[in-house]
Structure formats: C-alpha cells, structure tokens
Amino acid sequence: MGSSEDTYEILVIGAGFSGIYALHNLRKKGFAVKVYEAGTYMGGTWYWNRYPGARVDTDNPIYQFNEEGLWDFAWTERFPAHPELQEYFRYLDDKLQLSKDIQYNTSVSAAQFDTARNQWQVKTDDGRVTWANHLFLCTGSTTTRYTPPFKGLDRFKGICHHSYVWPKDGVNFDGKRVAVIGTGASAVQIIQEIGSRVGHLTVYQRTPNLCLPMQQAKAADPSKAAWFPPKSKFPEIFGTARKSFSGLNFDWERKNAADVSPKERRALYESLYAHGGFAFWLANFQDMLFDKESNAYAYTFWAEKARARIHDSVKRDILTPLVAPHAIGIKRPCLEQTYYEVFNQSNVDLVNVRESPILEITEHGVRTENEGLVEVDIIVLATGFDSLTGSIKSMDIRNGKGESLRDMWKRNGTSTYLGLTTAGFPNLWYMYGPQASQVKSTTQIHCSDLAGQNWCTTRWLHFWTLLDTFDHFRLTSGRLKWQAPTPLGNGPTIIEIQGEWLVELMVRMKDEKRRFVDAKKESEQGWTKEVWDAWEASLFPEADSWYQGANIPGKTREPLCYAGGYSKYEDLLKKIAAEGYKTFNLA
Ligand code: N01
C-alpha cells in the first residue's frame, strides 16, 4: 500500500485482459504504471464470472496473449472453463510478476482532470487520492450487473445470486429446487451445468437464445489433436485471426446465401455446425447479418437442428420457435453443449415470461401469471449487465471544467473518438470499451449480381448508399468490397490492436515531452456518425440487445459497438499515428 497521494505516469483501472496488456506493455517501455483492481486477484471477467459452467466461447489458442514468450500454458480444452482461465492468469503473474504493480481490493469512485497539472486526480473508495498523467479505463464490457426490479425480491428467504457475483465457495444445487431467470450466455452455461444435479429446475425465458453447438474438444483425446496446434503454428494462427472478420481464426464465406443452390447452402450450414464455436455465426454467408432472406435461411436450418433435440412440443416451440424471434446472430449467440437436452428431463420446467410475466418474488419462490407460485430453494439471476458503458458510468469522471462524463453521455448519448477516448477529457483512455471495432473484414459481392439487381433488397441498396457516402467500398476488378459489420470479436485481438496504438502514443508523448492529448470535437463527431451509419446498415438495430443498450429499461438505445471492421479500424489508427495525431489537440 502506498502513501495517500501516489503519482504514476499511467494509472490503469481493472486487471482483466486489457489492464494486464496495458501494464505489461507499458512497463516494458519503462513507464511507471499502477493498476487498481476491485477484486482480490486479476482476471477481470474470469475473476468475477465463477458461476457453475462458466467457460469461454473463443477457441484455443487465440484466447490468450499473442506474445511468443507467453505460449507455454498447456490448455486442456478447446473452449476452456473458468478455473483454467484463472490458472492462466496465475501463469501470467508468475511469468511477468504482474501483481507487484497491481493494488487489489481497490475501487475507483471518482476521477477529475486537473488542468494546471495536466494530471488526473483519482479517488478510491477508501478515501485515498492518486495522481496520474494518463488514466486507462480497462473496466470491461460486461461488468456492471443488472438485476431487474422484481417486486419482493428482497423478501426471498432462500439463496439468491446474480451470475456475476457468485460465492467463491460455490452453491450446492444437489437435489434443490432452483429457478433460473434469464436465458443469456450465463444462464445457458449454468442450466447445462446444474441440470443433472438439481431436484427441480424452472427456467424463466423472455427471449429464446439461439445457441450454437460448441463442439468441445479435450487435449487428452488424441482424436482431437488438431484443435491443439503446436506453438510453431501460433504466429500463423494469430496472424490469420488479426486479419479475419472478428479476430477469430476463420472468416466469412465470400458468397451470398441466395446465390448458391439449396444443396450448396445446406452443405455450408452443415459444415459450420459440425465445426462448432462461432463458425455458424461468423464464417457463414457474408450477407447473413445484413440480408433478411439470407438470415432466414440460416435460422431455418438452425431451428431444424435444435428442434430435433427437444422432445416436448411446447418446450420446443418456446426454446426454438419456427418463426425467428429476431434475426439469428444480431443478439450475441452463445455456445452450448447439452442445453436443449436438459429440457428433456421431466424435472425441468420452462416458463415463457412474455406470455406469463413474473408478478413477484415471494419469501418462498417465483410467482408468474399462469403458473402461480413456484416454490424454490435457490434463485439464479442471470439477467445480464449494463454493458459497455456501465462500468465507466459507475465512476464520477469529470474533466477540467468539472463536466461529468456520465451526465454528458446520459444527455447526449455515448460519445467517443475511436472507442478510445472522449473529446474534452484529455489523457483518458478506454480499452475494450464502447464504440470500438470488434470486427475485421472485407466482404465481397459479385458485380454481375449488382447489374441484375435480382437479389437486391431495399436494405442492400440503402447499405450501398451509406457505404458510398463514407467511402467504405470500392469497385475493384468486377467486385464490390466493403467492411462487413458485426459487434463481436475476440477480446484479446482488439485489446492488442488498441493496446499497440496506445503504447506507441504514450512513448511518443514522452519522447516529445508532451503532457496533454485530447481528441478534437469534430474528430469525435465524425466517428460517432460513422458508428451510427455502419450500425444502421446492418440487421443489428432490430434486436433488443445489450449491443445497443436495449436490455436496460431507460438506457438510451444506440450502437455501443463499432460495426466497421477490425481492418478499417486498425488502418485508421495507424493512419492517425502516421500523420502525427492531427485529429487530436496535443500540448
Ligand atoms: O447476460 P444477457 P449474460 N425478466 O444480457 C433476461 C458475455 N458472457 O450474463 O434476452 C426476465 O445476455 C434476458 O432476456 P432478453 C457474453 O458476451 C460470455 O447471459 O433481454 N428475463 C436474457 O435472457 C454475453 O453475451 C460468456 O429478453 C430478463 C438474460 O436475462 C454477455 O456476457 C459467458 C429480464 C440476460 O442475458 C452477457 O451474458 C457469459 C426480466 N426483467 C457471459 N431482464 C462466455 O464467453 C433480463 N432478462 C461463455
């Protein structure tokens, strides 16, 4: 523990992947860096998410740092579970001696820029003050939990936990009567983990989760060795991921769904389904997330596969309706292993809360309109997060004029420059925050089709018009190219892209003895417009997703992810650096 007014060149808030990246790479360049972390150890999302079944949705080996000296960790599963991810952070700590520069159990409550000192004054919950030239907010995208204001929740006499704040000692589900509220990624993993142990389970679903097959593989199984490539292959794999659609090691099928025969279409769907992971989402036909017809083909295939696994016709129609609840892939899908089979158990009930709303939580259980009171011993609230902006807005961040970032975003909507900073808030940086690119792609349409226009929907034409306006596409040798949107990518990849740029900027400022960097307002306005335009050209606006704040009552509905693609984003960052950061005011 330091004195009450420590000063650092760079103060990082949060010790997840992005905070660790910042600490390690800035320290290598000789900066005095400190990390404040609210938890008792590092890991970020993998420190907090320890609910039963928590597991990453990104394939080994790309869900780790892309640094050769850090590739000794022996992963045991294609999609590792949270204890192994926690082990990975311990490995990093041992190797890099990270903890010596991390102060745990430390929550930041407020930060204000001091214009005379060109420094941030940071206040922590314990009343101490720290000064820093630059403040890095590495506070995570899904870290501010959301609990719906269910009437009577505080009266419940049994055990009740939100998925994000799970007791370290775990919860005993054996033979217990359990209610799980929500069917997002967390709920799906919990349900399939506890399904075989509970006495009785009632799942309360508002929107079906269009889950994709994980196709897990274990390193111990020699027949799955292909999923565990040798380190010699890592540079190529990481290289592919960085150039691919969303930082993953596969890419879009460069065709539109309607341009191929039904047989060819089905063959691709079958192969993606068998591949597992996010392939069905992000290696599908290039127009799946933009064209309703293409999306409907994919949904029909998905529903056929999933429906075949559910025995009861009522549950089947609630979990996997014939009519899509929304376009597939525009809410974040999750990976499942035995999710649908759990609902074949006679001791598992499913309530569609759109038809039978939750009226109240009583001392003994959950009361819905049609089912009445279902008595339970345990309630699991898997009800999600105030995503992307929640963790930033939880701190009272003020600029030199005393203006509050939280109030500004509430009043005018979320505003960032490049998802990295906000104009008027100098020396303040977000990593893996709102409005950053989480995708990377160049997709193509056949121009012969363009001439015929026989498959053009109004949406496509609208999309082209927008792209034309913002120079996202070029006609090249008979093919039309554009950066394809989606708000999901591999976290470590985008962290690396942003991190490299920020480290370079920090070094440059230090070399040039500069103390102040602030995005120009007009730069930010241009970026915000680009974020909106890319978003509105896709199918994403149609779902009530956390990608656009639509899961939180009263939260502004706006794109919180940049849908323009990793490569465009990275190119833009590099161009800004090469041109001497002219889109910023520097002093
Ligand atoms: O949260 P969610 P999550 N009454 O917001 C429902 C990452 N993650 O914790 O869909 C009834 O997805 C809500 O219903 P609806 C990942 O990025 C990753 O599951 O809004 N239900 C939904 O079903 C993920 O996307 C991993 O209609 C209510 C659920 O609660 C993100 O975190 C694992 C309700 C919330 O789902 C968030 O996932 C876990 C109400 N009043 C999480 N309010 C992996 O990498 C909300 N719901 C594996």
Side-chain angles (χ1 to χ4, degrees), residues 51 55 57 183-186 189 206-207 331-332 382 384-385 546:
Y51 59 77
R55 183 178 293 286
D57 275 351
T183 53
S186 305
Q189 294 188 328
R206 189 165 67 181
T207 307
K331 280 185 89 163
R332 204 275 206 178
F385 299 89
W546 60 259

Side-chain angles (χ1 to χ4, degrees), residues 315-561:
K315 287 179 182 170
R316 191 188 301 137
D317 285 343
I318 298 173
L319 289 164
T320 55
L322 285 169
V323 177
H326 51 77
I328 187 165
I330 63 168
K331 280 185 89 163
R332 204 275 206 178
C334 72
L335 305 185
E336 58 82 29
Q337 302 183 72
T338 56
Y339 179 60
Y340 294 112
E341 282 72 19
V342 171
F343 292 92
N344 292 334
Q345 295 175 207
S346 57
N347 63 340
V348 176
D349 290 330
L350 176 63
V351 176
N352 178 356
V353 302
R354 283 194 196 274
E355 285 180 0
S356 178
I358 295 172
L359 300 177
E360 62 170 340
I361 311 289
T362 73
E363 288 182 5
H364 303 292
V366 181
R367 189 190 303 281
T368 48
E369 199 162 291
N370 299 341
E371 291 71 20
L373 178 66
V374 173
E375 296 196 356
V376 293
D377 307 304
I378 302 170
I379 296 177
V380 177
L381 297 163
T383 44
F385 299 89
D386 181 355
S387 303
L388 290 149
T389 54
S391 61
I392 297 173
K393 290 192 292 192
S394 71
M395 296 171 281
D396 184 13
I397 297 171
R398 291 177 187 270
N399 63 15
K401 294 180 194 159
E403 293 165 333
S404 149
L405 185 68
R406 178 166 54 200
D407 292 350
M408 230 173 70
W409 282 3
K410 193 164 184 191
R411 212 172 38 246
N412 308 328
T414 305
S415 196
T416 74
Y417 181 44
L418 305 167
L420 280 170
T421 186
T422 294
F425 289 77
N427 302 7
L428 178 72
W429 307 103
Y430 321 122
M431 285 182 75
Y432 203 53
Q435 297 186 339
S437 175
Q438 299 186 29
V439 294
K440 174 168 191 159
S441 175
T442 297
T443 330
Q444 302 178 325
I445 299 176
H446 294 280
C447 271
S448 53
D449 297 333
L450 177 59
Q453 287 194 1
N454 51 357
W455 54 273
C456 292
T457 61
T458 311
R459 177 169 292 278
W460 279 111
L461 290 168
H462 175 59
F463 188 39
W464 292 335
T465 312
L466 281 169
L467 293 176
D468 193 20
T469 312
F470 296 100
D471 192 27
H472 280 216
F473 75 93
R474 303 170 292 285
L475 274 171
T476 51
S477 43
R479 306 193 85 154
L480 181 66
K481 293 186 170 189
W482 79 89
Q483 306 297 332
T486 178
L488 181 116
N490 183 28
T493 312
I494 188 67
I495 286 165
E496 184 181 310
I497 291 170
Q498 293 187 321
E500 279 176 13
W501 188 86
L502 283 167
V503 171
E504 187 185 331
L505 174 62
M506 294 301 112
V507 169
R508 198 139 150 193
M509 287 189 69
K510 194 170 182 176
D511 288 350
E512 294 172 5
K513 300 195 175 2
R514 294 185 188 275
R515 298 288 309 272
F516 176 97
V517 54
D518 186 18
K520 291 180 180 168
K521 193 68 194 164
E522 62 268 27
S523 315
E524 181 171 291
Q525 284 163 346
W527 178 250
T528 303
K529 184 164 171 36
E530 179 149 345
V531 167
W532 269 96
D533 290 337
W535 193 248
E536 289 183 332
S538 74
L539 297 174
F540 284 107
E542 294 175 13
D544 292 337
S545 67
W546 60 259
Y547 290 159
Q548 50 180 358
N551 63 324
I552 303 293
K555 187 169 177 177
T556 305
R557 194 181 177 111
E558 57 180 346
L560 295 173
C561 305

Side-chain angles (χ1 to χ4, degrees), residues 1 8 44 53 91 97 133 165 230 270 276 300 309-310 332 344 473 508 511 536:
M1 183 148 313
Y8 301 100
Y91 155 83
Q97 299 300 299
N133 298 355
V165 277
E270 290 283 6
T300 304
R309 293 165 56 188
I310 306 161
R332 204 275 206 178
N344 292 334
F473 75 93
R508 198 139 150 193
D511 288 350
E536 289 183 332

